[in-house]
């Protein structure tokens, strides 16, 4: 029967067994106590073994003795170089390995008797020791040599390369200081001749024998500067010196692994129909079309008060998203494909006197650091006149500038223009050197800036090419395509060619009797231009401005453009794309158009009259497929990729990174690559960094900014900008500290 835990024994029997139970409990406690004491004794014993193991001497004094003897032998010699071979013999000795083998044998014998925690610790230590010794002695020696190389004053190969003399050092200093001399007004030719005279004395010296015979012959046609660069690089390479970076650069740039990113920063945006608003928009669309890189277009955002002054018909936008939608719709109607790029906005303010938009605050901060890879600055001088922020070349891996405007030509027409142009010229040189790796000038009509190349990297709206194809098809079918005469289209300000146009017609009014010119345009000087034409009784008919793609303009046969202030007139390219005649001045801004048979240039006013009569007397030639392609944005994008070296940068060519200043291959010597900047610092980079620092300090002073014509309050963005763009308040973004 189950008892369910209840004692069913008689009372006497239950009370009689009390003494036996107490004895059993006492025996159990005694047994547990003895067990605990034994465990504690074993723990103390094992702990003693662990302490003995950790404090056991290692047979290392012999190794250190060998190292000291090797160093003392080399120090007592005439050279101050360590004898690395003796150190190698010390490491290759069997004493170290034999001592460790003996210890492992002793550990293996006692492993069975050791306490488990101690055995685990020892096993882990042995594993670490085996991994360290798994490296070959040669690898260990190589690492030791690298760590001790800085202690040697007579490195290897120093016997083969002679030290630099004073003349070579002076020549190299002059060559690298060319950017500084350029700012001081000293021509580059003078510096080159000075370098050549300093190096000519050493040209046949044995120091230049580090080149092989083949390489020396290949450099005979190069300038002396290249040989000097090789000489400096070889001398510095022989010392083991390696140049790590620039003096001014912080070295923190975005990671270029994965898909590259291109940021296009410009100074205007639609609906303002100006070149710096339209052309960067097309460039972003066609760069993103290839899908090889991510593209972001960064445009200025204006407050509503400024929008009313800038945008046509008092058009305004209440949010950046609304303006972005307008820009995309306008672009996609013209290119015919879905655009795939990002549009971002930075704060800007409109300056009435200069009719331009000035950035407010640090424009570079509106591009995230993770996307700061490649920057394209449309009008780099304009963007950086008053730029007070991070240096573009410090934040981005490659910076390209595209010059759109001939500012010097406009400034010379103002009051005290010659003096202003002098200062603007040097400021443009400064910002070009300090903030760009490569600069593209659309034509020779622009200022000759450092690091610049002339190339037309603009195309025409595809709609104009379609108009040209339609007109050519109509002419082939026998239809009359051109029912009107000549016209001129442009913003009505004197600097846009209206002064030249009035002068030409005033001088040859009788020669052009019966010839009428229709003019389309709006602008600040509209009243003055029309008054001057009426006063001189010229055959000029003025109309309100309209889009060049308007159907009412397709019937004109001749486009006349006498402007010499343009860099590359977009209207001229559009007229050629539509199959019209173009009569323009023989000027560097029109060099790209000379190859087109329908482009008629003139040098004198008499030539102008002759070209106008020639164009009115015959029909223009249809464009060939090659000519149409050269005017397209596809061709312009290809030219941009090549001349900006963007294709090399995107393909990971190290020779093109950072404007080609890193790792430029200049020759080989005994099968070893010789790289100029691998060993030698670039004085040009130091000068550029210094100029950027001076510019940063100058633009940080509101007084100096205002004295040079800056818009008040553009060093930082204002409260309205922070509300429109959802930015931190100005006092948070740029706090003022004080007591």
């Amino acid at each position: 029967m189950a008892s369910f835990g209840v004692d069913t024994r008689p009372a006497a029997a239950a009370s009689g067994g009390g003494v036996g139970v107490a004895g059993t409990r006492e025996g159990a406690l005694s047994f547990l106590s003895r067990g605990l004491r034994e465990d504690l004794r074993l723990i103390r014993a094992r702990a003693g073994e662990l302490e003995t193991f950790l404090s056991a001497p290692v047979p290392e004094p012999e190794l250190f003795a060998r190292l000291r003897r090797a160093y003392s032998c080399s120090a007592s010699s005439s050279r101050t170089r360590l004898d690395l071979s003796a150190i190698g013999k010390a490491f290759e000795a069997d004493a170290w390995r034999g001592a460790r083998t003996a210890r492992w044998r002793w550990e293996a014998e006692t492993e069975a008797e050791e306490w488990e925690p101690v055995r685990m610790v020892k096993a882990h230590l042995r594993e670490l020791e085996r991994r360290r010794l798994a490296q070959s002695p040669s690898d260990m020696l190589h690492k030791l040599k690298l760590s001790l190389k800085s202690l040697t004053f007579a490195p290897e190969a120093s016997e083969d390369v002679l030290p630099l003399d004073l003349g070579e050092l002076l020549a190299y200093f002059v060559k690298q200081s060319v950017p500084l001399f350029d700012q001081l007004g000293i021509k580059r030719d003078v510096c080159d001749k000075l370098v050549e005279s300093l190096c000519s004395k050493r040209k046949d010296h044995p120091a230049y024998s580090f080149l092989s015979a083949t390489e020396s012959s290949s450099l005979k046609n190069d300038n002396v500067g290249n040989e000097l660069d090789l000489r400096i690089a070889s001398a510095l390479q022989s010392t083991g010196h390696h140049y790590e970076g620039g003096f001014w650069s912080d070295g923190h740039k975005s990671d270029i692994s994965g898909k590259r990113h291109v940021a296009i920063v410009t100074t205007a945006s639609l609906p303002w129909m100006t070149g710096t608003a339209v052309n960067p928009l097309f460039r972003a669309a066609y760069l993103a079309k290839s899908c090889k890189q991510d593209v972001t277009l960064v445009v200025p955002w204006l407050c509503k008060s400024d929008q009313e002054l800038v945008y046509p018909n008092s058009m305004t936008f209440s949010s950046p998203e609304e303006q972005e939608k307008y820009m995309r719709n306008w672009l996609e109607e013209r290119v015919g494909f879905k655009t795939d790029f990002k549009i971002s906005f930075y704060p800007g303010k409109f300056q009435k006197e200069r009719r331009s938009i000035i950035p407010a605050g640090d424009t570079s901060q509106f591009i995230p650091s993770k996307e700061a890879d490649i920057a394209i600055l449309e009008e780099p001088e304009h963007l950086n006149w008053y730029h007070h922020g991070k240096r573009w070349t410090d934040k981005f891996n490659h910076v390209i500038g595209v010059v759109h405007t001939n500012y010097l030509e406009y400034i010379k027409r103002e009051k005290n223009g010659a003096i202003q142009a002098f200062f603007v010229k040097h400021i443009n040189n400064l910002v070009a050197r300090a903030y760009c790796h490569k600069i593209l000038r659309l034509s020779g009509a622009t200022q000759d800036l450092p690091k610049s190349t002339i190339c037309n990297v603009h195309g025409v709206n595809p709609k104009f090419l379609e108009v040209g194809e339609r007109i050519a098809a109509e002419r082939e079918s026998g239809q009359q395509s051109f029912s009107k005469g000549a016209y001129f289209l442009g913003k009505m300000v004197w600097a846009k060619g209206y002064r030249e146009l009035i002068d030409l017609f005033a001088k040859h009014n009788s020669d052009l009797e019966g010839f009428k010119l229709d003019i389309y345009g709006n602008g600040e000087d509209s009243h003055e231009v029309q008054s001057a034409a009426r006063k001189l009784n010229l055959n000029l008919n003025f109309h309100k401005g309209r889009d060049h793609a308007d159907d009412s303009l397709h019937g004109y046969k001749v486009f006349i453009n006498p402007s010499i202030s343009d860099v590359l007139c977009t209207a001229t390219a559009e007229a050629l794309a539509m199959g019209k005649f173009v009569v323009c001045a023989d000027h560097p801004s029109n060099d790209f158009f000379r190859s087109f048979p329908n482009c008629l240039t003139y040098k004198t006013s008499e030539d102008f009259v002759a070209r106008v009569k020639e164009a009115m007397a015959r029909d223009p030639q249809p464009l060939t497929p090659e000519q149409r392609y050269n005017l397209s944005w596809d061709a312009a994008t290809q030219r941009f990729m090549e001349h900006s070296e963007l294709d090399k940068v995107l393909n990971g060519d190290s020779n093109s990174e950072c404007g080609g200043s890193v790792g430029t291959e200049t020759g080989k010597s005994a099968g070893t690559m010789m790289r100029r900047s691998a060993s030698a610092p670039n004085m040009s980079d130091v000068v550029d960094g210094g100029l950027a620092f001076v510019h940063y300090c100058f633009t940080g002073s509101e007084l100096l900014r205002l004295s040079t014509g800056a818009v008040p309050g553009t060093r930082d963005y204002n409260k309205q900008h922070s509300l429109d763009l959802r930015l931190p308040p100005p006092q948070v973004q740029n706090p003022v500290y004080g007591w």
Side-chain angles (χ1 to χ4, degrees):
M1 179 178 177
S3 63
F4 298 100
V6 179
D7 190 357
T8 58
R9 294 177 299 166
S15 59
V19 176
V21 171
T24 302
R25 290 175 179 172
E26 182 179 357
L29 290 175
S30 176
F31 175 78
L32 292 175
S33 177
R34 286 195 304 272
L36 289 175
R37 284 196 298 271
E38 182 64 20
D39 289 343
L40 289 176
R41 186 185 64 78
L42 290 174
I43 289 174
R44 284 195 295 268
R46 300 309 181 194
E49 292 179 5
L50 178 61
E51 182 178 1
T52 302
F53 168 75
L54 295 177
S55 60
V58 180
E60 294 180 345
E62 180 61 25
L63 172 64
F64 291 147
R66 290 173 179 266
L67 290 175
R68 284 195 296 272
R69 286 196 298 271
Y71 182 78
S72 61
C73 291
S74 62
S76 61
S77 63
S78 58
R79 300 169 60 188
T80 58
R81 175 184 173 188
L82 287 176
D83 188 356
L84 297 179
S85 61
I87 297 177
K89 293 178 181 179
F91 266 95
E92 292 172 357
D94 294 333
W96 177 276
R97 195 179 300 275
R100 283 299 179 191
T101 304
R103 169 169 287 187
W104 290 343
R105 187 180 299 110
W106 174 80
E107 292 171 355
E109 294 174 354
T110 58
E111 184 175 3
E113 302 176 358
E114 290 175 344
W115 191 33
E116 183 64 22
V118 177
R119 189 161 54 252
M120 292 175 62
V121 171
K122 287 186 176 182
H124 183 64
L125 291 175
R126 285 197 303 271
E127 181 63 25
L128 293 178
E129 188 73 8
R130 288 192 185 98
R131 291 179 182 178
R132 186 180 65 82
L133 294 178
Q135 298 179 352
S136 63
S138 59
D139 292 339
M140 297 176 61
L141 277 177
H142 178 66
K143 292 181 179 180
L144 182 61
K145 288 179 181 179
L146 291 178
S147 63
L148 297 177
K149 205 166 190 178
S150 60
L151 299 177
T152 64
F153 297 95
E156 299 176 29
S158 61
E159 300 85 357
D160 301 330
V161 181
L162 296 179
L164 300 170
D165 65 4
L166 182 60
E168 290 173 320
L169 293 174
L170 182 59
Y172 188 72
F173 175 78
V174 172
K175 182 178 181 295
Q176 293 292 330
S177 301
V178 167
L180 179 61
F181 294 148
D182 182 60
Q183 294 293 327
L184 299 177
I186 301 175
K187 295 183 178 180
R188 186 184 184 92
D189 294 341
V190 177
C191 299
D192 292 341
K193 290 180 180 179
L194 181 57
V195 171
E196 185 176 358
S197 64
L198 290 171
C199 292
S200 60
K201 302 176 182 178
R202 302 277 296 181
K203 193 171 183 180
D204 298 328
H205 196 277
Y208 288 85
S209 62
F210 65 92
L211 292 173
S212 64
T214 304
E215 290 160 349
S216 297
S217 62
S218 66
L219 289 175
K220 285 181 180 179
N221 296 327
D222 295 342
N223 56 36
V224 178
N226 288 338
E227 296 185 12
L228 179 62
D229 286 335
L230 289 172
R231 168 74 176 123
I232 297 293
S234 64
L236 291 178
Q237 189 183 56
S238 67
T239 66
H241 171 74
H242 184 76
Y243 179 61
E244 296 295 340
F247 179 76
W248 302 98
S249 176
D250 58 8
H252 299 290
K253 297 184 179 181
S254 64
D255 184 11
I256 61 175
S257 60
K259 196 172 184 180
R260 307 298 293 267
H261 194 102
V262 178
I264 303 174
V265 187
T266 187
T267 57
S269 61
L270 294 181
W272 189 9
M273 297 300 296
T274 185
T276 52
V278 175
N279 291 308
L281 189 61
F282 280 110
R283 195 184 328 280
Y286 280 86
L287 280 177
K289 185 180 178 181
S290 65
C291 298
K292 294 181 180 180
Q293 58 276 327
D294 294 327
V295 179
T296 299
L297 178 64
V298 187
V299 299
W301 167 261
L302 299 177
C303 300
K304 277 196 174 182
S305 57
D306 284 340
Q307 293 181 28
E308 295 172 353
L309 297 174
V310 178
Y311 300 150
N313 303 321
S314 299
M315 186 183 300
T316 59
F317 303 96
S318 58
S319 67
E321 292 78 11
E322 184 181 352
Q323 185 172 0
E324 177 182 350
K325 182 179 179 181
Y326 174 89
M327 295 169 61
R328 289 193 185 277
N329 291 338
W330 184 93
L331 177 64
E332 291 175 0
E333 287 177 2
R334 286 156 178 79
V335 298
F337 58 84
K338 188 72 174 177
T339 58
D340 184 21
F341 63 91
K342 178 182 175 183
I343 297 179
S344 298
F345 293 83
Y346 67 86
K349 285 190 176 182
F350 181 66
Q351 189 176 36
K352 295 181 182 179
E353 295 77 15
R354 295 181 179 175
R355 295 292 303 174
S356 59
I357 298 174
I358 304 297
D362 179 10
T363 310
S364 65
Q365 70 175 324
F366 297 97
I367 304 170
S369 297
K370 63 181 181 180
E371 299 177 0
D373 183 12
I374 301 167
I376 301 174
L377 305 184
E378 310 279 353
E379 291 197 316
E381 64 274 63
H382 184 160
L383 282 170
N384 292 297
W385 278 334
Y386 303 106
H387 176 72
H388 183 70
K390 194 173 183 64
R391 186 182 175 194
W392 295 95
T393 51
D394 286 345
K395 184 170 183 176
F396 290 83
N397 297 305
H398 193 66
V399 182
I400 305 164
V402 181
V403 178
H404 291 247
T405 308
N406 187 358
Y407 289 105
L408 299 183
E409 182 64 29
Y410 287 111
I411 293 173
K412 288 177 182 177
R413 300 174 184 236
E414 300 178 357
K415 185 179 179 180
N416 300 322
I419 299 176
Q420 295 185 58
F422 173 80
F423 287 106
V424 171
K425 176 183 177 181
H426 287 280
I427 292 174
N428 289 347
N429 279 331
L430 185 151
V431 298
R433 292 209 64 92
Y435 296 113
C436 294
H437 293 125
K438 187 77 175 178
I439 292 180
L440 299 179
R441 298 158 54 201
L442 297 180
S443 73
T446 57
Q447 179 182 343
D448 186 8
L449 296 172
K451 310 176 184 177
S452 65
T453 302
I454 297 176
C455 180
N456 174 22
V457 293
H458 287 175
V460 299
N461 186 334
K463 293 295 183 182
F464 294 105
L465 293 172
E466 294 175 4
V467 172
E469 292 177 359
R470 177 176 57 80
I471 291 176
E474 291 176 354
R475 291 179 59 187
E476 289 181 0
S477 64
Q479 300 181 27
Q480 180 66 27
S481 300
F482 300 114
S483 58
K484 300 180 182 180
Y487 73 109
F488 174 52
L489 178 143
K491 186 178 180 181
M492 201 169 293
V493 293
W494 285 114
K496 284 291 186 180
Y498 286 90
R499 174 66 66 189
E500 292 81 4
L501 185 66
I502 295 292
D503 292 342
L504 286 170
F505 272 78
K507 185 175 181 179
H508 297 281
N509 196 19
S510 59
D511 297 330
L512 296 172
E513 187 177 357
F515 174 77
K516 293 184 178 181
L517 180 68
D518 292 332
I519 298 177
Y520 297 88
N522 300 321
E524 296 81 10
D525 299 331
S526 298
H527 179 71
E528 295 181 12
V529 172
Q530 295 181 40
S531 297
R534 285 193 298 266
K535 184 178 180 180
L536 296 172
N537 195 24
L538 303 179
N539 289 328
L540 302 177
N541 300 323
F542 292 92
H543 307 273
K544 289 185 177 181
R546 62 190 65 181
D547 193 331
H548 204 177
D550 192 277
D551 293 340
S552 62
L553 302 178
H554 295 173
Y556 285 98
K557 184 172 69 170
V558 182
F559 176 76
I560 294 178
N561 181 18
S563 175
I564 57 174
S565 63
D566 288 325
V567 171
L568 187 82
C569 183
T570 303
T572 298
E574 293 169 348
L576 288 173
M578 289 188 287
K580 304 177 187 295
F581 272 125
V582 171
V583 178
C584 58
D586 185 2
H587 189 261
S589 61
N590 298 317
D591 285 345
F592 177 77
F593 306 123
R594 293 179 191 276
S595 61
F596 294 87
N598 294 334
C599 179
L600 308 177
T601 61
Y602 63 89
K603 294 183 178 180
T604 64
S605 59
E606 290 76 14
D607 288 343
F608 172 75
V609 175
R611 294 293 179 266
V612 170
K613 291 182 178 181
E614 178 186 352
M616 296 300 295
R618 62 185 179 91
D619 290 334
Q621 300 180 23
L623 293 178
T624 64
E626 181 182 359
Q627 291 168 348
R628 282 197 297 268
Y629 176 76
N630 289 337
L631 289 171
S632 69
W633 265 104
D634 288 316
T637 303
Q638 183 63 30
R639 292 193 297 267
F640 178 84
M641 297 289 288
E642 293 175 359
H643 287 81
S644 68
E645 300 181 351
L646 183 58
D647 53 349
K648 297 180 181 179
V649 174
L650 293 175
N651 292 331
D653 188 347
S654 61
N655 294 346
S656 299
E657 291 289 337
C658 300
S661 62
V662 178
T664 304
E665 185 178 322
T666 59
K668 296 181 181 179
S669 180
T672 303
M673 286 288 186
M674 184 76 67
R675 297 180 179 273
R676 288 179 189 153
S677 52
S679 298
N682 195 332
M683 184 65 68
S684 178
D685 293 340
V686 177
V687 173
D688 294 348
L691 293 175
F693 179 74
V694 171
H695 182 259
Y696 178 84
C697 296
F698 186 91
T699 55
S701 170
E702 187 68 15
L703 179 62
L704 293 176
R705 292 171 66 92
L706 295 177
S707 64
T708 54
V711 179
T714 53
R715 194 189 72 171
D716 306 307
Y717 60 78
N718 58 29
K719 185 177 181 180
Q720 187 60 46
H721 284 134
S722 66
L723 294 175
D724 293 344
L725 298 175
R726 295 181 285 276
L727 301 172
Q731 61 271 22
V732 175
Q733 182 72 13
N734 300 283
V736 178
Y737 298 99
W739 296 102

